[in-house]
Every structure is written in C-alpha cells, then in structure tokens.
C-alpha cells in the first residue's frame, strides 16, 4: 500500500534534500569548475618545446563552452520551475477551506463524520473497512456493502463511544470467500487548511497537520454545499 501523504510535523515534510533540478545543477557546476581548473593547469604546465596541439586545444575550449552553457541553462530552468511552483500555489490558495478527496489520514475531533470513498474490487463478495491509528495499529473493523458509495465514518467504537481525538487511516479490504483480492488505502474527504510548497509540487495541509500533494487529489467540494 502506498500513499502520497506525509506529516507536516516530521522532517519528512520539511525535507532537507534539494530538488532534483537543484542537485543536477549543483553537479554540473562542480564539474564545470573542475574542468576549468584542469584546462588552466594543462595550459600552464605544457611543455614549451611540445605545446598542446591547436586542434585539441580548440576542441577542449568548445567543450568548455558547452559545459558553461549547460550550467546556465539548468540554472535558468530551475528558476522557472520555482516560479511556476509559486504560481501554482497561488492558484490553489482558493482551495483553503474546501474539502479535497485523496488518500490521506482523516482527522477526528471527537465528533462529526469523515466521508470515505471506498473502491472495492469488482469481483469481491465482501468488503471491510480497517481503521488504523497513526502508528498503523488496527483500532476498528467495519463491514461495508460491496459498493463504491461513500461511507460516513462516525468515529465511534463498537460500544458507541467516540475514539480518541487524532488522525486515523482507512484501509479497504476486498475479499472473495477467504481470498484477499485487494487491500489499499481509501480516499477520504479532508478539509484543506493551508497550501505549501513541497519541492516542485504544492502540498495541501490537512486539519491534522498531514501534507497531501495537490497532484494526488481526485475531487474537490464546498463543505457548505
């Protein structure tokens, strides 16, 4: 099971790794500087009686020029990518306060409901909703209809008592008889509290503080409608 969700309160969300474009540019810059040093040393230390062949020297200068241009081009592309990301974030700022649908932990505050969008296997004859806490421990199992209709999870345990306040993850298990056909995290509707840059993508901050990439959202709705 995979998910594009990270926690905003952990180092995973505030990544210290440079974007791929930045890493490539940094590598090219380093190679470029090394090339300049080697070329300079070669020209300085060449034997005056046997100077470097002019054709070979011209080829090296041409290579030098190509590396320099490639470095500049990558720096320019990196800047354009950053600007496009900021433009996307500004465009998606209108999502704040809306409910987005995607694979994400749902935040339960002791009351209210979380809308879950199951997508069971077509061949299944039974479907189970498995509720997990943030550590992945199972806290509840609910039998669902074999249907893709939305399910309203109330956050109540089997005795009708509300579960603890916090984030919960939802797994859909599709079975045919005793055979497990499909097991995957379910999409849910979650409220967008903030938009934030996550590398080259825009991250949506949920009520519980998790981050969902905007590119992973499959639907958007007004909670007042």
């Amino acid at each position: 099971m995979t998910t594009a969700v990270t926690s905003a309160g952990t180092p995973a969300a505030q990544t210290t790794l440079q974007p791929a474009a930045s890493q490539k540019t940094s590598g090219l810059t380093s190679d470029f500087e090394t090339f300049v040093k080697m070329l300079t040393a070669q020209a300085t230390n060449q034997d005056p009686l046997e100077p470097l062949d002019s054709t070979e020297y011209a080829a090296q200068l041409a290579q030098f020029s190509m590396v320099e241009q490639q470095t500049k081009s990558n720096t320019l592309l990196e800047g354009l990518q950053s600007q496009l990301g900021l433009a996307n974030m500004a465009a998606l700022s209108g999502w704040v306060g809306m409910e987005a649908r995607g694979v994400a932990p749902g935040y339960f505050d002791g009351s209210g409901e979380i809308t879950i969008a199951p997508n069971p296997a077509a061949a299944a004859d039974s479907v189970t909703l498995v509720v997990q806490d943030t550590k992945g421990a199972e806290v509840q199992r609910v039998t669902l209809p074999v249907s893709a209709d939305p399910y309203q999870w109330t956050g109540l345990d089997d005795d009708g008592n509300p579960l603890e306040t916090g984030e919960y993850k939802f797994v859909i298990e599709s079975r045919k008889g005793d055979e497990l056909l499909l097991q995957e995290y379910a999409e849910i509707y979650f409220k967008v509290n903030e938009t934030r840059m996550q590398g080259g993508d825009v991250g949506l901050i949920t009520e519980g503080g998790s981050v969902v990439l905007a590119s992973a959202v499959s639907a958007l709705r007004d909670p007042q409608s």
Side-chain angles (χ1 to χ4, degrees):
M1 297 182 291
T2 59
T3 174
V5 181
T6 60
S7 171
T10 64
Q14 303 297 335
T15 176
T16 57
L17 294 178
Q18 296 180 353
S22 178
Q23 292 177 357
K24 290 179 180 178
T25 301
S26 177
L28 275 172
T29 301
S30 176
D31 291 344
F32 172 70
E33 292 175 351
T34 301
F35 183 81
V36 172
K37 291 178 180 178
M38 291 177 61
L39 191 63
T40 302
Q42 184 180 27
T44 303
N45 298 312
Q46 64 178 326
D47 187 349
L49 300 179
E50 295 183 5
L52 183 68
D53 181 74
S54 59
T55 302
E56 182 180 351
Y57 193 72
Q60 291 184 358
L61 286 175
Q63 185 179 1
F64 168 86
S65 178
M66 290 175 61
V67 173
E68 182 182 27
Q69 290 301 318
Q70 188 173 359
T71 300
K72 290 181 179 179
S73 296
N74 278 272
T75 301
L76 176 61
L77 289 174
E78 183 181 352
L80 291 174
Q81 182 183 29
S82 177
Q83 292 179 15
L84 288 173
L86 291 173
N88 288 337
M89 185 176 67
L92 294 179
S93 62
W95 288 20
V96 175
M98 302 287 281
E99 288 186 343
R101 192 177 83 180
V103 176
Y107 181 73
F108 179 66
D109 61 3
S111 62
E113 299 179 339
I114 296 176
T115 302
I116 300 171
N119 186 28
D125 55 25
S126 66
V127 177
T128 303
L129 169 67
V130 181
V131 183
Q132 301 175 343
D133 62 18
T134 54
K135 296 181 180 179
E138 182 178 316
V139 297
Q140 188 179 43
R141 298 181 75 90
V142 181
T143 300
L144 299 183
V146 184
S147 169
D149 292 338
Y151 173 76
Q152 301 297 327
W153 184 71
T154 61
L156 303 179
D157 62 20
D158 297 338
D159 296 324
N161 300 312
L163 296 173
E164 294 182 1
T165 298
E167 288 190 320
Y168 292 89
K169 296 179 289 186
F170 305 94
V171 178
I172 299 296
E173 292 184 351
S174 301
R175 296 179 182 273
K176 185 173 183 179
D178 295 331
E179 180 185 1
L180 178 62
L181 300 179
L182 182 65
Q183 184 182 49
E184 62 180 1
Y185 284 112
E187 290 189 340
I188 69 165
Y189 278 95
F190 60 91
K191 183 179 178 181
V192 179
N193 276 11
E194 179 187 349
T195 59
R196 183 185 303 169
M197 287 301 300
Q198 294 291 124
D201 207 338
V202 179
L204 309 177
I205 313 302
T206 71
E207 289 181 283
S210 291
V211 182
V212 182
L213 296 183
S215 57
V217 168
S218 61
L220 192 69
R221 71 182 186 184
D222 186 344
Q224 303 301 324
S225 62

